[in-house]
Amino acid sequence: MTDIAVVGFAQAPNVAHTTGTTNGVEMLVPCFQQLYAELGISKSDIGFWCSGSSDYLAGRAFSFISAIDAIGAVPPINESHVEMDAAWAFYEAWIKLMTGEVETALVYGFGKSSAGTLAKVLALQLDPYLVAPLWPDSLSLAGIQARAGIDAGKWDERAMAEVAVRNRANAHPLAQLTGVLDIDELLATDYIADPLRAHDCAPVTDGASAIVLAAGDRARSLRENPAWITGIEHLVDSPNFGARDLTTAPSAYNAALKASGGDLSSISAAELHAPFTHQELILSEWLPGGTTLNPSGGTLVGNAMFSAGLERIGHAATRIFDGKDSRVLAHATSGPLLQQNLVAVMEGK
């Protein structure tokens, strides 16, 4: 089996609004330049490019084609795209490297959420016949999920606030939200979608990120401590809200089991793509008690749509680069209420 590793990660600042275009070019160019400089490579060293974004979010068709301006049109490139979070573009690039056709790949994702009304745009991913015509916004749906967990006794509003406090304190340098929060003060604020308050919800964020993958000896030549991908899996739960228990995410758990080879006990750090505090509680219940959760601050400090999942992989890989951890887990989600889940496990060797 081909050894494949993450060797580079860069991201744009998570911000509430950018003046750039919806094709992400202005955010992506600095990411690419950082990776080129850090790894000592150029565009010609990349064998395959794969991106993740959404034309619905951009508000126009083929915005991902316009994003290729960030790469440069000459000479031609080997390129592909997925209409979802770039974590799934990461999976496609991993498959491409597994075929042996290329030695390197660059994966990127971008989204300008501020260009529209995100909570309404996300209604377009719902059942087009029975649910989407009702235009339920994403905050209200998440509120239903959070209430179900409270009613089932799985968590309470204080436990949710504790997640927000921890993530804000862990926020990475390019995060949108940082600082120290007081739990009691948070619990005194107004609801925005009962039982959710502002701190329970990831902010509307513009952002982009990029990752370089490499195989075998090429990876070893580019990074002293590559983050070797030892397992990756993505699974899907029913899109029918009434057909599943919203207080659990079995597809995430089963994907983690498969990606880890059934051994989650040695995972020392996990980056979880949880846009709401209660979703981190759902995702972390099957991780070992000593696991460091979202050491970057996670999605609650910046939720760049179609980049946030890829960022979780990048931040987890950085823990391997820096020697802070030897085995890490990265999770990405897509669809409503943790419907689709991808998990990658990476190790240092």
Side-chain angles (χ1 to χ4, degrees):
M1 181 175 176
T2 304
D3 291 333
I4 299 169
V6 175
V7 295
F9 167 61
Q11 74 168 93
N14 290 154
V15 294
H17 177 74
T18 60
T19 57
T21 56
T22 57
N23 62 22
V25 170
E26 295 87 349
M27 296 184 286
L28 288 168
V29 168
C31 291
F32 295 166
Q33 294 303 316
Q34 177 184 330
L35 288 171
Y36 295 159
E38 185 178 304
L39 298 175
I41 61 176
S42 65
K43 170 188 170 182
S44 61
D45 292 304
I46 303 298
F48 179 63
W49 301 75
C50 198
S51 62
S53 66
S54 172
D55 287 343
Y56 288 97
L57 188 69
R60 58 177 175 171
F62 296 103
S63 63
F64 72 94
I65 295 295
S66 301
I68 294 177
D69 286 345
I71 303 171
V74 179
I77 60 170
N78 184 7
E79 184 268 344
S80 185
H81 173 262
V82 298
E83 183 79 10
M84 59 197 308
D85 192 285
W88 276 261
F90 178 91
Y91 181 86
E92 181 177 340
W94 177 77
I95 292 291
K96 187 76 168 180
L97 287 165
M98 287 290 288
T99 67
E101 293 182 20
V102 296
E103 282 190 321
T104 57
L106 194 151
V107 181
Y108 62 95
F110 62 92
K112 183 174 179 177
S113 302
S114 66
T117 305
L118 181 62
K120 287 293 186 182
V121 171
L122 292 177
L124 296 171
Q125 67 185 342
L126 304 174
D127 181 321
Y129 299 105
L130 301 176
V131 184
L134 302 175
W135 286 98
D137 66 85
S138 57
L139 298 179
S140 298
L141 289 176
I144 293 173
Q145 184 181 43
R147 176 57 62 192
I150 291 174
D151 290 348
K154 289 196 169 184
W155 57 75
D156 57 24
E157 293 177 26
R158 178 167 289 272
M160 292 160 58
E162 289 171 351
V163 172
V165 170
R166 173 171 44 77
N167 279 284
R168 197 75 66 90
N170 288 343
H172 60 88
L174 297 177
Q176 181 178 344
L177 302 177
T178 61
V180 178
L181 300 177
D182 180 86
I183 291 181
D184 292 325
E185 290 180 2
L186 293 179
L187 293 175
T189 59
D190 293 335
Y191 294 117
I192 60 174
D194 189 354
L196 300 178
R197 298 176 170 89
H199 63 265
D200 292 308
C201 310
V204 173
T205 306
D206 295 351
S209 61
I211 278 178
V212 174
L213 293 165
D217 291 339
R218 185 60 171 142
R220 298 180 185 92
S221 71
L222 292 173
R223 171 71 62 178
E224 182 178 354
N225 297 314
W228 298 99
I229 304 166
T230 55
I232 185 169
E233 182 63 84
H234 64 101
L235 298 172
V236 183
D237 290 322
S238 172
N240 183 346
F241 301 136
R244 58 185 173 110
D245 178 358
L246 295 180
T247 68
T248 65
S251 64
Y253 172 64
N254 289 321
L257 281 182
K258 290 188 177 183
S260 66
D263 176 21
L264 292 168
S265 62
S266 59
I267 298 294
S268 55
E271 285 283 342
L272 304 174
H273 187 181
F276 300 94
T277 52
H278 67 275
Q279 291 182 349
E280 182 173 314
L281 296 173
I282 292 173
L283 293 167
S284 61
E285 66 179 0
W286 36 263
L287 287 168
T291 304
T292 301
L293 299 177
N294 281 334
S296 72
T299 317
L300 290 170
V301 301
N303 183 28
M305 293 299 297
F306 304 99
S307 171
L310 186 69
E311 289 174 22
R312 306 281 67 74
I313 297 173
H315 283 292
T318 301
R319 305 280 295 184
I320 300 292
F321 298 165
D322 298 342
K324 294 178 180 177
D325 293 284
S326 59
R327 192 167 189 250
V328 297
L329 179 147
H331 161 266
T333 192
S334 187
L337 306 183
L338 303 176
Q339 182 209 357
Q340 302 182 50
N341 295 281
L342 180 148
V343 174
V345 172
M346 293 169 284
E347 300 180 11
K349 295 183 180 179

